[in-house]
């Protein structure tokens, strides 16, 4: 497998993301980031202006990735509402699995608001509202088109999806310890089971039955 060659700004961004997840925002210095990225510390100011702006950029980039995929799926006329919902949920779980550093940072911000960064809080609020609107459209259209036979409370539906995935990530290592399962494929199996179980739960909530 080939190593991906990133541009200087992306090297800084991804190095900072990992360090922020490992050490926290306050304990990570610009020198730490520069050393990890293999660049001169002045490059951080050149590309991002400050550590705070670099932190904001991480959220901009990661949230844009998720929103772009969601928009693409939402506008796909070849998919019914159930298929759209599940693809969006599967992508969410896949991102939580493949971007552990970002979602660790996200948990830090939600739990402690450790940076006091109002811009990031605004990003998160906008993103959350955006996904609620996506679920509202899928829920409304799916019920109207007969794809769903139940119409649960919109905010409960959103909470079930985000809460289940978020808490599952948070408790993952504890569950591993309690099961005593130290196999290399534990996390792969864990996320596969999370996807299956959440899919089953959503089917029940929405009264969805697959038609042959």
């Amino acid at each position: 497998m080939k190593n991906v060659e990133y541009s200087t700004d992306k090297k800084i961004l991804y190095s900072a993301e990992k360090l922020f997840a490992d050490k926290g925002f306050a304990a990570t210095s610009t020198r730490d980031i520069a050393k990890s990225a293999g660049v001169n510390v002045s490059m951080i100011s050149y590309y991002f202006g400050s550590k705070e702006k670099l932190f904001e950029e991480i959220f901009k980039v990661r949230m844009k990735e998720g929103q772009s995929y969601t928009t693409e799926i939402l506008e796909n006329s070849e998919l019914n509402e159930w298929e759209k919902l599940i693809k969006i949920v599967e992508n969410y779980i896949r991102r939580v699995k493949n971007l552990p550093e970002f979602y660790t940072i996200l948990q830090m911000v939600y739990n402690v608001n450790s940076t006091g960064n109002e811009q990031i809080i605004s990003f998160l609020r906008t993103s959350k509202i955006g996904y609620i609107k996506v679920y509202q459209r899928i829920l409304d259209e799916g019920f109207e088109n007969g794809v769903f036979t139940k119409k649960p409370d919109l905010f409960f539906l959103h909470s079930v999806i985000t809460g289940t995935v978020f808490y599952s990530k948070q408790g993952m290592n504890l569950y591993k310890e309690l099961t005593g399962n130290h196999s290399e494929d534990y996390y792969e199996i864990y996320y596969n089971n999370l996807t299956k179980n959440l899919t089953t739960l959503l089917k029940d909530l929405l009264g969805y039955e697959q038609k042959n």
Side-chain angles (χ1 to χ4, degrees):
M1 185 176 176
K2 293 182 179 179
N3 291 326
V4 178
E5 187 62 36
Y6 294 115
S7 59
T8 300
D9 60 329
K10 288 295 188 291
K11 285 180 183 176
I12 294 170
L13 191 80
Y14 299 144
S15 295
E17 183 179 56
K18 187 176 189 313
L19 286 169
F20 290 146
D22 290 343
K23 300 173 64 175
F25 177 80
T28 301
S29 69
T30 53
R31 289 190 179 279
D32 292 334
I33 297 168
K35 181 179 179 182
S36 178
V39 301
N40 189 288
V41 70
S42 64
M43 290 292 97
I44 295 175
S45 296
Y46 176 77
Y47 283 105
F48 302 101
S50 66
K51 187 175 78 166
E52 288 74 15
K53 292 297 181 184
L54 171 54
F55 196 58
E56 290 174 15
E57 188 64 23
I58 291 170
F59 281 82
K60 284 182 184 178
V61 169
R62 292 308 190 193
M63 288 191 292
K64 184 177 180 181
E65 290 170 351
Q67 290 164 353
S68 295
Y69 178 86
T70 298
T71 299
E72 180 183 337
I73 293 301
L74 195 61
E75 300 305 327
N76 188 334
S77 59
E78 296 181 0
L79 302 173
N80 68 26
E81 287 75 21
W82 170 255
E83 292 165 337
K84 290 177 182 180
L85 177 64
I86 289 306
K87 283 187 176 296
I88 291 169
V89 169
E90 286 175 345
N91 185 59
Y92 177 30
I93 294 173
R94 187 164 52 245
R95 283 172 59 77
V96 170
K97 174 189 170 188
N98 295 335
L99 300 172
E101 291 89 1
F102 173 67
Y103 283 94
T104 295
I105 295 170
L106 190 59
Q107 283 180 328
M108 290 177 183
V109 171
Y110 273 133
N111 291 340
V112 186
N113 187 16
S114 55
T115 66
N117 190 313
E118 293 300 324
Q119 188 65 48
I120 288 175
I121 299 303
S122 177
F123 290 157
L124 294 177
R125 184 177 186 277
T126 300
S127 177
K128 186 180 290 187
I129 291 172
Y131 277 104
I132 288 172
K133 289 181 178 178
V134 166
Y135 294 140
Q136 181 174 38
R137 175 173 164 183
I138 291 175
L139 187 61
D140 290 345
E141 293 181 359
F143 190 74
E144 289 173 7
N145 294 334
V147 175
F148 306 140
T149 59
K150 299 178 185 176
K151 195 174 183 182
D153 178 82
L154 170 64
F155 303 121
F156 177 68
L157 178 67
H158 177 259
S159 295
V160 165
I161 295 170
T162 57
T164 300
V165 177
F166 224 59
Y167 191 84
S168 293
K169 179 189 182 303
Q170 195 171 36
M172 182 171 54
N173 291 327
L174 173 62
Y175 301 151
K176 182 178 181 180
E177 179 185 333
L178 292 174
T179 61
N181 185 343
H182 300 292
S183 62
E184 292 184 2
D185 60 352
Y186 173 81
Y187 293 112
E188 186 73 28
I189 294 171
Y190 183 87
Y191 280 110
N192 285 341
N193 285 336
L194 172 59
T195 302
K196 290 177 184 176
N197 285 308
L198 185 52
T199 299
T200 299
L201 178 58
L202 291 173
K203 279 184 178 180
D204 185 59
L205 277 176
L206 296 165
Y208 173 76
E209 292 184 11
Q210 189 169 357
K211 300 173 183 177
N212 296 326

